[in-house]
């Protein structure tokens, strides 16, 4: 899953270099919750005749997120299963495999909506779904990565004690 994600994601970043806007500009719009900013970005894409490439990035994104979800779900589940049933963290650990699934839903649904929507008239509701999903997704990723770091430290400490 991680290898597929890395390959697709690096190709997407290469495609971003060919756009009329920078990754930073894209990121600012995606965090804006402002349909006017989205419309402005879409007008740049349309005027530079890059809509096809722009939509292709979202198709690739769906595949890369799916690959990342599979890898993070499997890793989180392996970690959850590593806790003893008597451990206080045993039940909590089983919450974390849900994070990659929620993250994927919050990424894939806006991507599909972007693919099927007339982006020249970017609707306000889509700006809220896209920006909101992005913010929640990043927050959940941070929490998940903190959990994975904690689990790695726990694993190392347990191995060193043996």
């Amino acid at each position: 899953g991680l290898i597929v994600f890395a390959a697709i994601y690096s190709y997407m970043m290469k495609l971003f270099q060919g756009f009329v806007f920078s990754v930073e500009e894209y990121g600012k719009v995606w965090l804006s919750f402002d349909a006017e900013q989205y419309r402005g970005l879409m007008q740049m894409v349309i005027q530079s005749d890059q809509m096809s490439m722009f939509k292709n990035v979202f198709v690739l994104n769906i595949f890369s997120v799916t690959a990342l979800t599979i890898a993070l779900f499997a890793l989180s589940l392996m970690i959850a299963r590593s806790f003893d049933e008597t451990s206080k963290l045993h039940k909590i650990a089983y919450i974390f495999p849900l994070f990659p699934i929620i993250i994927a839903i919050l990424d894939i649904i806006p991507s599909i909506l972007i693919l099927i929507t007339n982006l020249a008239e970017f609707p306000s509701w889509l700006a809220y779904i896209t920006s909101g999903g992005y913010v929640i997704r990043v927050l959940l990723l941070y929490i998940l990565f903190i959990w994975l770091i904690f689990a790695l430290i726990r694993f190392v400490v347990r191995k060193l004690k043996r």
Side-chain angles (χ1 to χ4, degrees), residues 34-98:
D34 182 5
E36 287 303 316
Q37 287 191 37
Y38 279 94
R39 283 185 205 112
L41 183 73
M42 294 307 112
Q43 287 306 316
M44 289 172 54
V45 171
I46 291 166
Q47 289 171 357
S48 62
D49 199 29
Q50 295 181 325
M51 187 55 75
S52 177
M53 186 168 68
F54 186 77
K55 287 196 172 191
N56 285 341
V57 167
F58 284 92
V59 172
L60 291 171
N61 180 61
I62 291 169
F63 288 109
S64 72
V65 168
T66 302
L68 182 62
T69 298
I70 291 167
L72 291 177
F73 176 80
L75 180 61
S76 299
L77 188 59
M78 286 183 347
I79 290 168
R81 292 174 57 106
S82 75
F83 283 93
D84 297 327
E85 289 186 28
T86 57
S87 169
K88 293 177 184 178
L89 293 174
H90 176 72
K91 288 182 182 175
I92 293 170
Y94 279 96
I95 293 170
F96 291 99
L98 298 175

Side-chain angles (χ1 to χ4, degrees), residues 98-162:
L98 298 175
F99 278 42
I101 295 167
I102 296 167
I103 291 165
I105 290 168
L106 291 171
D107 196 327
I108 291 172
I109 288 175
S111 292
I112 291 170
L113 292 172
I114 286 169
L115 289 169
I116 64 173
T117 301
N118 177 2
L119 297 179
E121 300 170 9
F122 205 94
S124 296
W125 60 267
L126 186 53
Y128 289 114
I129 289 173
T130 304
S131 292
Y134 186 79
V135 169
I136 295 167
R137 191 170 70 235
V138 169
L139 178 64
L140 289 176
L141 262 174
Y142 283 141
I143 293 168
L144 180 60
F145 285 141
I146 289 168
W147 171 252
L148 294 176
I149 291 167
F150 166 78
L152 177 63
I153 292 169
R154 176 185 163 269
F155 175 77
V156 169
V157 168
R158 289 179 75 193
K159 287 295 180 187
L160 289 175
K161 283 184 177 181
R162 289 183 184 174

